[in-house]
Amino acid sequence: MPAPRRLTRRAALQRAAAASATIAGSSLLPELAAAAGSAAGSVPTTRLDAPVVVVGTGYGGAVTALRLAQAGVPVLMLEMGRAWDRPGRDGKIFCPTLRPDGRAMWFRSRTRTPLNAMFGIPIDMPIQRYPGVLDRLDFPDMAVYVGRGVGGGSLVNGGMAVTPRRADFERLFPQVDAAAMYDTYFPRANAELQVSTPPVDWFERTPIHQFSRVARAQAERAGFDTAFVPSIYSYDYMVEEAAGRARKSATAQEIFYGSNHGKHSLDKTYLAAALATGNVTIASLRTVTSVRAQPDGRYRLSVNRINTSGVTVAREEIACDRLVLAAGTMGTTELLLRARATGAIDGLSDRIGEGWGNNGNVTVARWNPLRQPTGTRQTTMPAMGIDHRDDPVLPTFVEITPMPTGFENFTSSYLAITRNPERGRLRYDAATDRVQLDWKRAQAAASVKSLKAILDPINRQQRTAYRSDLYTGGRVWGDHYTWHPLGGCILGEATDLYGRVDGAPGLYVNDGSLLPGYATVNPFVTITALAERNVEQILADVRGA
Ligand code: FAE
């Protein structure tokens, strides 16, 4: 297909003016503006034109928008979730974790929590169908959790902001210049994300981290090292919150249905800075259903604009010179697989959909001896991990996660990131027009083995056991779901070394789908830093350099 045209600044501004003239009015309050219903066939279609479109407002999309906008390039961002900027009737933007409502989950009539039982009793609750902030994509042997809304995964994640060790990064990305990553892009990402670490004195005495200290002491007694885990939850805020001087969020069980306070989610960092340039328009409640190459070298997106009932109230056909897919591993890969299968874009790589991984995620909880209580008040934001990454056979990073039930539960719980060589495959299913994941439960066995290698010795020493009452059916290992889907459009395989999609000039991927299924630690800092690196190439292309 022809190469995309070089975009002059004048042409870019003209297009952006045309795009924002049409979009801005509806993007200010898109959920309310879109309230009118529509019968099938009567949905109006609007045609728009934009120089650069970014699909998705998570880490990769937010970095891309900010850096292009700072360079004077107008950017239109499309996001299927809502903007989480207005409180509900209870005065809060996000709903309480223990009393969830529609804000909790993406169009479900019942919550689907990962730990779905307590003492064997199911804990999921009925909710209203609404474009809530946490989505769960169910496949036969794997459930994938993702964030929905302006800010993507940053709205719901555990805030753990871990930079991989340089040697580990070099093994994952041998063709990427590690010196540039560690001198420039990782520091830049950490600064923009406002990552902080807990003040050590405070950590050692605060009741809200008793659970961390108990699990640390047990790990160290069994001969394992531990390390602090940085966070995008502000520790300045956390200290005040723990002391009762700031409104409660992390100490009020808030986490995966959104944090009302304290957290530097992307809407407060990258996206706020991007909007402040005046060059970015964010259109929420817009689902991109397909992307297509036009004969003139541009791309066209078909977009459904939905209301808060999930009804499509309008359609938009948007043409652009450059298209950046940052819809996350699942969203980006689905759009590209659909485009390949339907012939909407010729020449896409066979590697699209390959190399999906769950970052070796597996979770588990252990009972503790009664003489080692973990505390009735716990923060939801983890701050410590068992660092077993040096093990040559089963390198593992095990985060000590809270279980903030509000009563003493004598439990230590963990999220492990393990090096599991197994990979799944995303493929397009024409019958449902959706992506399917080929992944079998047995593929998680290596991850469970890695975690057992650390926790079995601790159990032996403490004379304790794993809990089997936190999932219905008596399951012990949380190896059937993931917070960290990665891969599908791997850097240097489905794209070039900067996320430029093979065979499709002007089309870019800049999100977690570029990572090879495993990041050695929690992934968003790596996604952000790589996006910072890749966007420089996108900008050079836009300028025609
Ligand atoms: P992501 O942040 O997922 O953003 C993609 C955006 O695109 C989303 O807002 C989607 O709604 C939107 N989108 C998708 N498809 C479409 C479409 N067709 N049209 C329009 N919009 C679309 O992508 N990682 C860590 O490093 N530390 C943690 O502590 C951590 N905890 C987590 C806890 C939870 C509950 C979850 C769900 C994830 C967690 N993660 C954590 C993972 C992390 O949030 C995730 O890797 C990043 O958010 C991925 O960033 P991307 O830019 O790839």
Side-chain angles (χ1 to χ4, degrees), residues 56 58-60 79-80 148 152-153 157-160 288 327 483 512 522-524:
Y59 288 93
E79 168 56 54
M80 66 191 275
R148 293 276 178 243
N157 67 32
M160 288 177 273
V288 177
W483 309 118
N522 318 58
F524 73 63

Side-chain angles (χ1 to χ4, degrees), residues 62-380:
V63 171
T64 307
L66 173 62
R67 299 308 176 201
L68 293 182
Q70 282 176 329
V73 179
V75 176
L76 170 62
M77 304 186 83
L78 301 170
E79 168 56 54
M80 66 191 275
R82 57 162 283 197
W84 292 94
D85 54 357
R86 275 168 294 129
R89 275 192 295 245
D90 59 358
K92 290 178 187 262
I93 289 178
F94 298 107
C95 68
T97 306
L98 301 186
R99 277 175 288 110
D101 56 33
R103 290 171 289 181
M105 293 201 77
W106 183 254
F107 292 113
R108 294 224 173 221
S109 46
R110 208 173 171 75
T111 57
R112 290 297 306 278
T113 41
L115 293 180
N116 66 353
M118 183 61 63
F119 310 120
I121 302 163
I123 57 171
D124 278 323
M125 290 186 229
I127 53 174
Q128 308 91 318
R129 290 180 67 81
Y130 183 82
V133 72
L134 181 69
D135 198 1
R136 167 176 159 135
L137 309 173
D138 286 300
F139 302 102
D141 274 5
M142 177 61 64
V144 180
Y145 284 94
V146 293
R148 293 276 178 243
V150 174
S154 76
L155 300 166
V156 296
N157 67 32
M160 288 177 273
V162 190
T163 299
R165 297 182 310 183
R166 181 167 172 161
D168 292 338
F169 181 87
E170 285 172 348
R171 269 191 292 276
L172 289 179
F173 293 104
Q175 299 141 299
V176 172
D177 178 1
M181 290 299 297
Y182 283 81
D183 292 346
T184 304
Y185 302 114
F186 275 115
R188 188 175 291 171
N190 275 284
E192 291 283 355
L193 293 169
Q194 300 185 38
V195 173
S196 61
T197 44
V200 176
D201 286 357
W202 171 83
F203 173 85
E204 294 299 347
R205 58 187 157 75
T206 178
I208 67 174
H209 270 298
Q210 189 175 326
F211 74 94
S212 306
R213 297 192 298 269
V214 164
R216 174 184 64 183
Q218 294 174 343
E220 289 178 350
R221 241 189 112 201
F224 297 106
D225 291 334
T226 56
F228 278 112
V229 174
S231 182
I232 53 166
Y233 197 95
S234 160
Y235 272 102
D236 287 343
Y237 192 91
M238 184 90 85
V239 168
E240 292 300 298
E241 182 180 341
R245 295 188 292 263
R247 280 180 288 183
K248 289 182 180 176
S249 181
T251 58
Q253 286 120 346
E254 290 181 355
I255 179 165
F256 50 68
Y257 298 148
S259 297
N260 281 299
H261 309 286
K263 193 182 193 188
H264 297 302
S265 47
L266 289 166
D267 49 325
K268 315 260 183 340
T269 57
Y270 273 99
L271 291 172
L275 286 171
T277 65
N279 285 332
V280 172
T281 302
I282 301 177
S284 54
L285 290 178
R286 303 311 204 275
T287 304
V288 177
T289 56
S290 69
V291 297
R292 161 174 306 278
Q294 297 190 157
D296 62 358
R298 305 179 77 212
Y299 290 91
R300 201 178 79 222
L301 300 92
S302 297
V303 181
N304 284 351
R305 184 175 151 200
I306 61 166
N307 64 15
T308 53
S309 302
V311 174
T312 298
V313 291
R315 295 214 163 85
E316 285 153 2
E317 291 286 318
I318 304 176
C320 61
D321 297 310
R322 315 276 170 171
L323 173 57
V324 182
L325 299 180
T329 290
M330 309 305 287
T332 289
T333 311
E334 178 168 83
L335 286 171
L336 286 176
L337 286 173
R338 187 179 290 127
R340 191 177 68 190
T342 58
I345 303 177
D346 285 336
L348 290 178
S349 163
D350 289 346
R351 297 292 304 159
I352 293 169
E354 303 295 329
W356 183 91
N358 64 353
N359 206 19
N361 278 183
V362 57
T363 58
V364 75
R366 300 175 29 255
W367 287 113
N368 274 323
L370 295 184
R371 63 179 188 284
Q372 294 182 44
T374 46
T376 53
R377 266 182 83 212
Q378 300 187 6
T379 171
T380 51

